[in-house]
Amino acid sequence: MTGDRRPNFVFVLTDDHAPNAISAYGSVVNSTPGIDAVADAGMRFDRALVENSLCTPSRATILTGTYSHTSTVTTLATHLTNDHETFITALQAAGYRTAMFGKWHLGHGEGYDPAGFDHWEVLPDQGEYFDPELITAEGRVRHEGYVTDILTEHALAWMAEQGDEPYCVLVWHKAPHRSWLYHPRHAELFTDPIPLPPTFDDDYSGRGTPAHSATMRIADHLYDIDLKQDPPAELAYEERAVWKYQRYMQDYLRCVAAVDESVQALTSFVAESDHADDTVTIYASDQGFYLGEHGWFDKRFMYEESLRMPLILSYPARVPAGQASENLVSNVDIAQTILDFAGVEAPAGMQGTSLAPMLTGEDPAPVRDAHYYRFYEHDDHMHHVWAHYGIRTDRYKLIYFYADGMELPNTGNLTFPPEWELFDLENDPHELHSVHLDPAYADVRRELTLKLWDLQLELGDTPHPRQPAPEGRTR
Ligand SMILES: [Ca+2]
């Protein structure tokens, strides 16, 4: 059934799923046929970027279509009050049936419970992999089984109950978030050695203090709870690092295997329904993740592996199959894209741009020439990533790091002077050599500093007080 019917939306969001662990994105470590099939049927965005690489802020941005400084959800500790307009509240007001299953991580209780949903079942905070408790409007219920399977089953049951009215269902998985507990049916996968990324031994020369001082290195900062086994005693440091990488990746990729099965189950249901052609299926993650690149796990940095999110969308009635795009798009754009396809006007405060014209081919032009990023949570006492903001263009990336009052391990509570980094992604795709002080890049640096300043103000954010106004601008 196609034509004028408003589409259904099936939106699968995972937690910390890097594009490098999706075969549609060229993964060399695993295969994801379920996710790949969505890409084959629609469009894969190769430069989908988050505006804040952290679970809670990214979820708030996806729902509200606003940057973190606007949603005010900037860190893990800031939650989304339910008086915010989201694409869900807008869809519900326009007559859509709406449901949410999975990781919310935006606060619970009065004033914070999910708003705009006819039905919701969410994990408390991070939730549990096995026998998880789910919070509903009626209270908490514990369910036996594996979280990825349970969320899929509950979503499918709700979808099967819907009549011909359009619906939007969010299946927002906990997986593959740390500490990567997989289902026993996947225990035999990934027992062969997993290839190391080329930057696994990165020593961070060529970059400033923040890359050196972050505590998210596989060799040093994965703990017993992550590894679940003791490393063999006889291993030297470098060998132990590789052993830890193998352990980490085995568990991570086994969690992804269950996610891919979930996507296959959901897309099979849609394919066999009356609305196969007028269903928008979205696969995305709340941000990217380091799978050993630069020696790291985790996210947070504006470097490519955590800045990029997977974003794949199919809609057979309107979006041609088999497309890939290198245009700069953002998690800020998702809300307005959904509302545009639903024919629902976006709330005035949303700050993204609908990608629908790009997806349908009506207007394939890029929606922006620079992407704005800001990470706030530099006082987490866990990974010690400096706060920073910056812009990424097609070719370059400019980052301003600051760490006021940040306590770094073994140094005490210190205030560091801010630092800049500039990368030429064409000549240095792995971001190993900042060229911020390279005289050959003086013009590029000047132009990007202005562009960052102007874009930041245009979006309603404010520069760090210690950043001097660039030449030709005043505070
Ligand atoms: Ca996440």
Side-chain angles (χ1 to χ4, degrees):
M1 193 186 295
T2 57
D4 295 335
R5 184 186 182 275
R6 297 188 292 178
N8 292 338
F9 295 92
V10 178
F11 183 177
V12 181
L13 185 80
T14 44
D15 198 339
D16 298 355
H17 190 186
N20 283 347
I22 296 174
S23 34
Y25 281 96
S27 168
V28 295
V29 295
N30 69 335
S31 174
T32 50
I35 299 168
D36 295 1
V38 181
D40 290 343
M43 185 180 274
R44 183 191 77 224
F45 290 96
D46 288 344
R47 289 182 181 165
L49 311 176
V50 293
E51 52 70 60
N52 185 353
S53 186
L54 201 60
C55 305
T56 298
S58 176
R59 281 150 204 276
T61 288
I62 289 168
L63 285 164
T64 62
T66 64
Y67 289 82
S68 296
H69 61 269
T70 305
S71 72
T72 70
V73 181
T74 53
T75 67
L76 296 178
T78 53
H79 292 151
L80 185 70
T81 53
N82 60 15
D83 54 356
H84 278 82
E85 286 186 297
T86 66
F87 73 83
I88 290 294
T89 61
L91 286 178
Q92 192 187 43
Y96 265 79
R97 296 273 299 158
T98 55
M100 157 87 204
F101 300 88
K103 182 174 168 181
W104 179 245
H105 207 194
L106 289 163
H108 302 298
E110 196 178 335
Y112 294 97
D113 279 335
F117 295 99
D118 296 309
H119 182 88
W120 52 274
E121 302 179 33
V122 298
L123 297 159
D125 300 318
Q126 296 282 7
E128 295 156 286
Y129 272 108
F130 287 98
D131 301 336
E133 200 175 47
L134 291 172
I135 307 177
T136 72
E138 289 78 40
R140 294 180 178 229
V141 184
R142 189 171 291 282
H143 298 272
E144 272 185 40
Y146 186 61
V147 67
T148 307
D149 300 341
I150 291 167
L151 297 174
T152 308
E153 287 160 13
H154 289 206
L156 286 169
W158 184 86
M159 290 157 72
E161 287 170 5
Q162 303 312 302
D164 209 43
E165 288 306 303
Y167 67 77
C168 175
V169 61
L170 309 186
V171 186
W172 285 15
H173 285 299
K174 166 182 176 58
H177 191 278
R178 194 180 187 183
S179 53
W180 314 296
L181 302 183
Y182 56 85
H183 190 279
R185 70 177 179 274
H186 297 125
E188 302 307 315
L189 297 177
F190 308 108
T191 49
D192 291 337
I194 296 165
L196 289 162
T199 59
F200 186 71
D201 294 320
D202 192 357
D203 64 0
Y204 315 119
S205 59
R207 273 136 298 157
T209 313
H212 289 84
S213 63
T215 49
M216 43 193 258
R217 205 164 163 90
I218 287 170
D220 304 317
H221 306 115
L222 282 178
Y223 302 119
D224 294 351
I225 195 172
D226 303 310
L227 299 167
K228 295 110 183 167
Q229 297 171 22
D230 292 329
E234 69 279 9
L235 297 182
Y237 179 85
E238 290 78 10
E239 294 169 318
R240 195 158 57 237
V242 174
W243 181 90
K244 288 181 181 179
Y245 168 78
Q246 191 73 18
R247 271 284 46 251
Y248 159 50
M249 290 293 285
Q250 281 178 339
D251 290 358
Y252 181 96
L253 295 174
R254 288 166 183 167
C255 289
V256 170
V259 165
D260 197 65
E261 291 171 0
S262 168
V263 173
Q264 290 183 55
L266 293 163
T267 53
S268 294
F269 176 93
V270 170
E272 290 161 16
S273 74
D274 292 337
H275 299 294
D277 286 345
D278 52 3
T279 294
V280 177
T281 303
I282 302 172
Y283 186 82
S285 178
D286 58 354
Q287 79 282 312
F289 211 67
Y290 295 94
L291 302 178
E293 299 92 351
H294 307 292
W296 286 331
F297 63 99
D298 212 74
K299 53 237 180 188
R300 297 159 200 269
F301 275 111
M302 197 189 161
Y303 304 132
E304 288 294 277
E305 291 84 357
S306 44
L307 177 67
R308 281 178 73 217
M309 67 192 290
L311 178 62
I312 293 168
L313 185 149
S314 71
Y315 180 9
R318 293 188 57 194
V319 175
Q323 305 183 78
S325 171
E326 291 211 323
N327 290 342
L328 294 173
V329 303
S330 164
N331 58 342
V332 179
D333 301 326
I334 294 172
Q336 278 150 277
T337 304
I338 289 171
L339 293 175
D340 195 356
F341 277 140
V344 175
E345 193 174 342
M350 287 190 175
Q351 295 179 290
T353 304
S354 170
L355 307 177
M358 197 190 295
L359 283 153
T360 60
E362 286 160 38
D363 184 359
V367 295
R368 61 177 58 75
D369 62 1
H371 170 85
Y372 180 64
Y373 182 88
R374 188 160 192 168
F375 174 78
Y376 299 78
E377 191 165 293
H378 69 284
D379 55 352
D380 68 346
H381 305 291
M382 186 161 54
H383 294 301
H384 301 97
V385 173
W386 292 32
H388 54 294
Y389 53 73
I391 54 168
R392 187 207 194 281
T393 65
D394 272 343
R395 178 164 176 182
Y396 298 105
K397 184 183 293 179
L398 178 72
I399 314 177
Y400 176 86
F401 287 100
Y402 57 98
D404 304 340
M406 182 178 185
E407 189 178 335
L408 292 178
N410 312 318
T411 60
N413 198 3
L414 297 172
T415 295
F416 295 85
E419 295 187 20
W420 290 94
E421 288 181 344
L422 171 64
F423 296 99
D424 181 343
L425 299 167
E426 194 172 291
N427 292 333
D428 180 23
H430 294 307
E431 301 168 296
L432 298 176
H433 305 287
S434 171
V435 292
H436 189 255
L437 296 176
D438 185 337
Y441 286 87
D443 288 344
V444 171
R445 186 179 66 227
R446 196 174 302 116
E447 186 187 320
L448 287 175
T449 309
L450 274 177
K451 200 174 188 67
L452 168 61
W453 183 268
D454 292 343
L455 183 58
Q456 189 171 47
L457 296 183
E458 180 191 319
L459 294 173
D461 201 6
T462 47
H464 181 249
R466 293 169 76 183
Q467 188 204 325
E471 198 181 319
R473 299 288 185 275
T474 53
R475 275 183 186 269

